[in-house]
Amino acid sequence: MSTHLRLLIMFIISTGTAVTSYFIPSTVGVVLFMTGLGFLLSLNLSEIVFGFKHSVTGHRVGTKSKALPNGLAKQFAWKEYLFYSIVLVLALLETGLLHHFAGFSQNSKNSPQAIVGYILMILFIILWILKEIQSVYIFGIFRNPIYPKHVQTVTLFLEKQTKLMKIGVVRRILINLVSPFAMIAFLSLDSSLQGLHSVSVSIGFTRAFRMVWQNTENALLETVIVSSVHLLISNTDIWWNRNLDTGIRLLLVGIMRDRLIQFISKLQFAVTVLLASWTEKKRRKSTTTLCVLNIVFSPFVLVFIVFSALLSSPLLPLFTLPLFLVGFPRPIQSWPGVVGTTACVCADTVYYYQMVPSLNTALQSAMAAGSLGLLLPGSHYLGRFQDRLIWIMILECGYTYCCINIKGLELQETSCHTAEARRVDEVFEGAFEQEEYARVCSINEHFGNVLTPCTVLPVKLYSDARNVLSGIIDSHDNLKEFKGDLVKVLVWILLQYCSRRSNMQENVHKTENKGKASLIILPPLNTSPQTESPEDTDSLNSENLDDWSDDVFGEEATIKKGKEEKVLSGINLPIPGSVESQRVGKHSTGTVTGNSLYQAVALGYPATDKGKQEAVAYIPLMEFSCSHSHLLSLPEEWISNCLPNSKVKEMSSLFPEDWYHFVLRQLECFHSEENASNVVEEIAKDRVLKDFYVQAVMTCYFSLFGVDNMIPSPGHILRVYSGVFPWSLALDWLTEKPELFQLALKAFRYTLKLMIDKASLGPIEDFKELTNCLEEYESDWYIGLVSDEKWKEAILQEKPYLFSLGYDPNMGVYTGRVLTLQELLIQVGKLNAEAVRGQWANLSWELLYATNDDEERYSIQAHPLLLRNLTVQAADPPLGYPIYSSKPLHIHLF
């Protein structure tokens, strides 16, 4: 079971079932009781009840509940309840009728039970063949000739896998419906159920009727073995036939099957450890003696392995050397506590969060088809895609369901991690990327590895591409075009923002004075009295100001959170004449007035008369010439003047009026108007509204490039992209308006992406193409920093594309990172479960008891056969350090 609580509850109920069956007087009643409870207990009862409660609650409220995890609202719909009800009724009918009417002739090879035994043998052979041809390797050695040879794209893989999927459907029907009913018939016809019940009959048949549903494939194997032995040994005087009923025989065969599988896995693990120690050149001299001793005393080593298998304990290789001990018996999940509650969460965790739902769906199809082999609790699988490693563990299995835990390993690869990840790639490439002319039935070259490839899964996730932007971001021509494009992008973003803003306001309440002309306070471009010179209006930040320079080598521009400190606690004065910069946080600027700054550092400050107020520029009232212009008017606080008139006039010549008119015609806020085209023309002629946009756009433009209107350097581009603006007269004005600041930063980032696209794909032909490009950025892209919180939100919202600009100080180049959401193939292989348990047992012993926490210890070093480093990472914290661990995920397998 997936948790200790579920295990305890299930153990109590199962024990109560066996005890209750002993006291039922009727043989038919006993058989029906065992069959019914065996079926019900093999279901995922807790999730079924949970889903049923939510569906009932949703119907009462009249709304569909969205709080159901793992798609339970869809999985446990009325079809599933109806299916389970029909199967239960048919199973009870079959058991009761066969037990009541069929005759019993145990010694005859032509008895009904013997005939059912023959049918079960045929079913077992068919299911075994169907299971083996689903995986890429048969027995893990020979490559499956039916499996697609060369798999690159999802579409091609799905086309080639169509036949295998059809075979998988047939296999699932045989496992879920045909095999259980055939085994119930075999058990119902047994003569042991006709007489008085004994303790052995109650225990054996309670387990047998439960195993039919709980683990159908293993139950089928056990039933075939018992039936075959019964047909081969006809002598009734043998102890097997005389003293044991069918239920106890099945129990003994089940124990032997489980221990034999464990013995083979442990033996394979021991041989792998020996080979790993011998093939490792650095340690060959020190481990040669241990290898020789293992060969000489091999009988004793086998005794340890057998004893470990009998106790179902992990085989503990001391320090992962060929020195074997019997570990302490552990639960299948190996670690205490609830699964999925601990993980070393970091910035890369979000990538696993995004892909798990799609991976869950892909695993559902693969497990139902049999592509992952026999599903047993305690099985481990490893998935690989680009730099991501996914560790999958099966926690619990039952009738038509499976419970798993998914872990994500770190993306920042160490040397050991890289070495083992490279070997994982080699193993998967040898299995899934064979040439078409390769041999029909090749052999697995990595057979000795603990990883055996199984299949590939189509999963919707982000592919990560990193490009060097040399020749693009440092091109003089591109940077020159960048400045002109930035003005256009600013115009487009501000118009789009105001258009959406007016629509939102109209949805809340209709404008009362829609037909009246609006009066807006506007500082005109040529105000008459300019009482203060630009030099007198400079405002400084009270926090430590970072130096602004083009030298970014050795460090990458990032956004740091400012410390909230009082002005008097200490102020670092800038060097006179130097150019200052200011880092801007999310919405707070942390600025102080010039008065307080001068007082704090005891500098002279111009004296002012107390009776006089500070002079304010003359601001006239400006009236829109068009009654519809209010739909696109800027917020009032955005239209104040902070630049000298000379600078505004100089910048106004850069404003693209034709582009401004084109964007106006493309806005959707006028589509509801009767004469939309006339309204747009009137608004386009409104010079007051245009002056608003000229002033806002050029002020933002001025704040992005600083005092000098020169071609920016690549270092300047990176800093502004990261949110670090150069100091200018407009910076304080802009930072006081956080919404406008974010729009300006967004426009800058869009323009950079536009510059890269133009350099890669070709120039923009016309305004329509430019508009389409910007609309695509707005709807399908997130352009920002990897460290931004919105970057994680965009991934979880599954934005189709994400872009980030960075700098590699080691190589001295600017880089672009693009994440693309698409359905891609994840390669999945099965790990030797005993190798994982053994290495985890050694990890626990070494860290908790031997207290060897050396980060460079031998047992954590990379090895291509054992995958030691990856296995240690996948352990639960604090001994391991996966960056993601899911809660138990329930997969529906029908």
Side-chain angles (χ1 to χ4, degrees):
M1 309 303 291
S2 58
T3 63
H4 299 316
L5 180 62
R6 288 169 66 94
L7 178 62
L8 179 62
I9 294 173
M10 190 59 69
F11 174 75
I12 294 173
I13 296 175
S14 301
T15 305
T17 303
V19 173
T20 305
S21 65
Y22 179 77
F23 294 100
I24 298 177
S26 171
T27 57
V28 176
V30 170
V31 173
L32 293 177
F33 179 76
M34 290 179 177
T35 304
L37 275 184
F39 174 77
L40 292 176
L41 293 180
S42 66
L43 298 176
N44 196 1
L45 290 177
S46 61
E47 300 299 322
I48 291 178
V49 172
F50 184 69
F52 180 75
K53 285 183 178 179
H54 273 266
S55 62
V56 171
T57 305
H59 284 302
R60 287 178 181 176
V61 179
T63 58
K64 187 176 180 181
S65 175
K66 297 182 180 180
L68 279 177
N70 307 328
L72 288 177
K74 180 180 179 181
Q75 291 184 6
F76 293 106
W78 64 270
K79 292 182 180 179
E80 279 70 21
Y81 294 116
L82 180 62
F83 170 75
Y84 292 142
S85 302
I86 293 174
V87 171
L88 177 59
V89 171
L90 291 177
L92 293 174
L93 284 174
E94 180 192 15
T95 304
L97 293 175
L98 288 177
H99 180 78
H100 184 72
F101 294 108
F104 297 91
S105 178
Q106 186 171 356
N107 296 329
S108 173
K109 293 185 178 182
N110 296 323
S111 65
Q113 189 179 29
I115 295 174
V116 175
Y118 290 122
I119 296 174
L120 290 175
M121 294 177 194
I122 298 172
L123 266 176
F124 174 76
I125 294 172
I126 293 174
L127 284 173
W128 177 82
I129 294 174
L130 295 181
K131 177 176 70 69
E132 288 297 326
I133 64 177
Q134 288 291 328
S135 299
V136 66
Y137 284 119
I138 299 174
F139 297 120
I141 303 175
F142 305 102
R143 197 183 193 284
N144 181 6
I146 302 178
Y147 199 88
K149 286 186 177 181
H150 192 65
V151 179
Q152 286 184 333
T153 62
V154 176
T155 307
L156 182 63
F157 172 73
L158 294 178
E159 290 178 359
K160 293 184 177 180
Q161 206 192 21
T162 305
K163 295 181 180 179
L164 292 179
M165 295 303 295
K166 293 178 180 178
I167 295 173
V169 172
V170 174
R171 178 181 175 274
R172 181 51 52 183
I173 292 174
L174 292 178
I175 287 180
N176 284 340
L177 296 176
V178 179
S179 297
F181 284 102
M183 284 187 283
I184 286 177
F186 180 85
L187 296 174
S188 302
L189 294 172
D190 194 82
S191 59
S192 302
L193 295 173
Q194 286 295 339
L196 294 175
H197 299 313
S198 62
V199 175
S200 63
V201 170
S202 297
I203 294 175
F205 277 93
T206 298
R207 176 195 173 274
F209 277 105
R210 171 76 177 277
M211 280 290 290
V212 163
W213 307 100
Q214 186 79 40
N215 199 331
T216 306
E217 293 183 72
N218 282 338
L220 182 59
L221 173 61
E222 296 166 12
T223 309
V224 167
I225 292 174
V226 170
S227 177
S228 302
V229 172
H230 175 68
L231 294 175
L232 293 175
I233 303 175
S234 58
N235 188 358
T236 56
D237 295 332
I238 297 179
W239 170 79
W240 177 267
N241 288 333
R242 185 179 67 252
N243 297 331
L244 301 177
D245 57 72
T246 303
I248 296 300
R249 292 174 200 160
L250 289 170
L251 176 60
L252 293 177
V253 170
I255 293 174
M256 289 188 288
R257 172 198 55 78
D258 181 71
R259 296 305 186 263
L260 180 61
I261 292 175
Q262 286 195 37
F263 173 77
I264 294 173
S265 297
K266 293 177 192 295
L267 182 61
Q268 185 181 357
F269 172 50
V271 173
T272 304
V273 172
L274 280 171
L275 290 175
S277 302
W278 178 257
T279 55
E280 195 171 11
K281 295 180 181 180
K282 295 181 181 180
R283 300 281 179 174
R284 182 174 296 177
K285 291 183 180 180
S286 58
T287 57
T288 301
T289 305
L290 288 175
C291 293
V292 172
L293 288 175
N294 273 274
I295 296 172
V296 173
F297 295 99
S298 56
F300 296 96
V301 176
L302 287 176
V303 169
F304 274 102
I305 296 175
V306 170
F307 191 57
S308 175
L310 290 176
L311 292 178
S312 191
S313 298
L315 183 66
L316 194 157
L318 209 58
F319 302 106
T320 64
L321 293 169
L323 184 61
F324 300 103
L325 299 175
V326 178
F328 190 82
R330 292 172 173 269
I332 288 176
Q333 67 190 46
S334 295
W335 306 108
V338 181
V339 174
T341 56
T342 56
C344 302
V345 179
C346 66
D348 295 329
T349 303
V350 67
Y351 299 107
Y352 290 107
Y353 266 111
Q354 179 273 326
M355 68 182 292
V356 162
S358 179
L359 177 60
N360 204 18
T361 304
L363 285 172
Q364 177 181 2
S365 302
M367 289 178 173
S371 301
L372 299 183
L374 186 62
L375 301 179
L376 293 174
S379 298
H380 296 265
Y381 298 88
L382 185 66
R384 176 71 168 165
F385 173 76
Q386 288 187 350
D387 56 353
R388 269 154 275 185
L389 282 163
I390 305 103
W391 194 283
I392 304 165
M393 180 181 181
I394 297 181
L395 303 173
E396 179 182 335
C397 286
Y399 183 65
T400 68
Y401 85 95
C402 182
C403 183
I404 65 171
N405 167 245
I406 298 177
K407 293 178 181 177
L409 305 189
E410 63 180 356
L411 304 187
Q412 302 296 330
E413 299 181 349
T414 60
S415 57
C416 294
H417 182 108
T418 304
E420 292 188 352
R422 190 183 304 117
R423 174 50 64 94
V424 171
D425 292 336
E426 291 174 2
V427 172
F428 283 136
E429 286 173 6
F432 300 116
E433 298 183 10
Q434 291 194 348
E435 299 296 335
E436 293 293 337
Y437 54 82
R439 286 186 298 173
V440 176
C441 191
S442 58
I443 296 177
N444 182 10
E445 298 177 357
H446 304 279
F447 174 67
N449 200 293
V450 295
L451 177 65
T452 302
C454 291
T455 187
V456 292
L457 304 176
V459 178
K460 189 177 182 181
L461 45 69
Y462 282 99
S463 62
D464 194 346
R466 301 168 192 258
N467 304 311
V468 176
L469 300 180
S470 299
I472 297 178
I473 196 173
D474 52 0
S475 170
H476 181 81
D477 295 336
N478 291 340
L479 293 173
K480 189 175 181 180
E481 290 183 10
F482 178 88
K483 299 187 68 176
D485 290 337
L486 177 59
V487 180
K488 294 179 181 178
V489 177
L490 278 168
V491 170
W492 185 84
I493 284 183
L494 288 181
L495 282 171
Q496 292 290 333
Y497 171 82
C498 294
S499 173
R500 287 194 297 266
R501 178 169 167 266
S502 65
N503 288 336
M504 291 174 60
Q505 290 176 350
E506 287 184 3
N507 292 335
V508 177
H509 61 279
K510 294 183 178 180
T511 308
E512 296 180 358
N513 301 324
K514 187 176 180 180
K516 297 181 180 180
S518 302
L519 296 177
I520 304 295
I521 299 177
L522 171 70
L525 298 182
N526 49 356
T527 53
S528 45
Q530 184 71 24
T531 58
E532 292 185 7
S533 64
E535 289 77 13
D536 295 335
T537 58
D538 294 354
S539 62
L540 299 175
N541 196 321
S542 65
E543 298 180 358
N544 296 338
L545 302 179
D546 298 318
D547 293 333
W548 180 270
S549 68
D550 286 339
D551 183 17
V552 299
F553 298 99
E555 63 177 3
E556 185 175 352
T558 55
I559 303 176
K560 300 180 180 178
K561 296 182 179 179
K563 296 180 179 179
E564 298 180 358
E565 298 179 353
K566 295 182 179 179
V567 176
L568 296 178
S569 63
I571 294 183
N572 294 334
L573 289 177
I575 299 174
S578 64
V579 181
E580 303 289 334
S581 68
Q582 176 177 344
R583 289 186 181 269
V584 183
K586 292 181 180 179
H587 295 294
S588 62
T589 59
T591 58
V592 294
T593 61
N595 281 324
S596 62
L597 179 62
Y598 276 96
Q599 291 170 2
V601 296
L603 293 179
Y605 193 71
T608 57
D609 294 335
K610 293 183 179 180
K612 294 183 178 180
Q613 299 292 332
E614 292 186 0
V616 179
Y618 171 70
I619 302 176
L621 293 179
M622 305 296 293
E623 183 176 344
F624 287 139
S625 61
C626 175
S627 61
H628 296 279
S629 295
H630 70 279
L631 295 173
L632 297 177
S633 64
L634 293 165
E636 293 182 8
E637 62 271 15
W638 293 8
I639 54 181
S640 59
N641 192 7
C642 67
L643 297 178
N645 293 334
S646 58
K647 182 62 66 174
V648 173
K649 290 180 179 180
E650 176 187 346
M651 294 292 190
S652 299
S653 60
L654 302 176
F655 187 82
E657 289 194 30
D658 51 349
W659 167 250
Y660 169 76
H661 294 155
F662 178 82
V663 176
L664 279 177
R665 297 184 183 93
Q666 302 297 317
L667 294 177
E668 298 179 356
C669 62
F670 306 115
H671 291 177
S672 59
E673 303 290 338
E674 295 181 358
N675 300 321
S677 58
N678 296 334
V679 170
V680 171
E681 293 299 329
E682 291 179 7
I683 293 178
K685 295 177 181 178
D686 193 332
R687 297 193 58 82
V688 174
L689 181 65
K690 191 198 79 169
D691 289 343
F692 285 173
Y693 277 94
V694 170
Q695 183 172 300
V697 168
M698 301 320 298
T699 304
C700 293
Y701 178 86
F702 182 74
S703 65
L704 291 171
F705 288 112
V707 180
D708 299 325
N709 187 21
M710 299 177 65
I711 295 176
S713 66
H716 179 99
I717 296 290
L718 177 61
R719 284 190 296 272
V720 176
Y721 183 93
S722 303
V724 184
F725 285 23
W727 186 88
S728 66
L729 296 175
L731 181 58
D732 289 336
W733 177 86
L734 184 62
T735 53
E736 290 172 0
K737 303 161 182 61
E739 205 166 4
L740 181 59
F741 175 86
Q742 292 299 326
L743 291 175
L745 181 60
K746 178 179 172 182
F748 191 91
R749 291 173 174 177
Y750 280 15
T751 308
L752 175 68
K753 185 66 177 66
L754 181 65
M755 180 183 75
I756 296 173
D757 288 348
K758 287 168 65 177
S760 305
L761 306 176
I764 300 294
E765 297 294 336
D766 50 20
F767 286 165
K768 183 64 177 176
E769 187 177 352
L770 178 58
T771 304
N772 294 337
C773 208
L774 295 176
E775 289 175 351
E776 183 184 351
Y777 293 162
E778 186 74 17
S779 60
D780 296 342
W781 286 79
Y782 175 76
I783 302 173
L785 294 173
V786 177
S787 57
D788 289 345
E789 200 63 34
K790 290 185 178 180
W791 180 276
K792 299 178 183 178
E793 295 176 4
I795 291 175
L796 294 177
Q797 294 170 3
E798 295 193 339
K799 277 274 187 181
Y801 307 98
L802 290 89
F803 173 84
S804 176
L805 178 68
Y807 178 76
D808 188 348
N810 298 323
M811 299 178 61
V813 294
Y814 295 90
T815 58
R817 183 180 182 186
V818 178
L819 299 184
T820 305
L821 181 65
Q822 52 188 325
E823 197 171 30
L824 298 168
L825 296 175
I826 289 182
Q827 299 162 330
V828 179
K830 188 172 186 178
L831 294 161
N832 186 331
E834 292 302 325
V836 175
R837 294 182 67 200
Q839 293 184 74
W840 281 356
N842 172 73
L843 175 66
S844 179
W845 177 86
E846 193 172 354
L847 293 184
L848 298 180
Y849 297 98
T851 63
N852 180 21
D853 59 350
D854 182 9
E855 294 183 355
E856 299 299 326
R857 62 186 183 274
Y858 173 74
S859 60
I860 203 175
Q861 298 302 312
H863 198 283
L865 285 179
L866 292 174
L867 303 181
R868 281 187 300 221
N869 190 266
L870 298 180
T871 305
V872 169
Q873 285 187 51
D876 282 5
L879 303 185
Y881 44 97
I883 65 173
Y884 171 79
S885 182
S886 70
K887 293 182 179 179
L889 302 173
H890 298 271
I891 298 179
H892 197 52
L893 298 179
F894 192 77

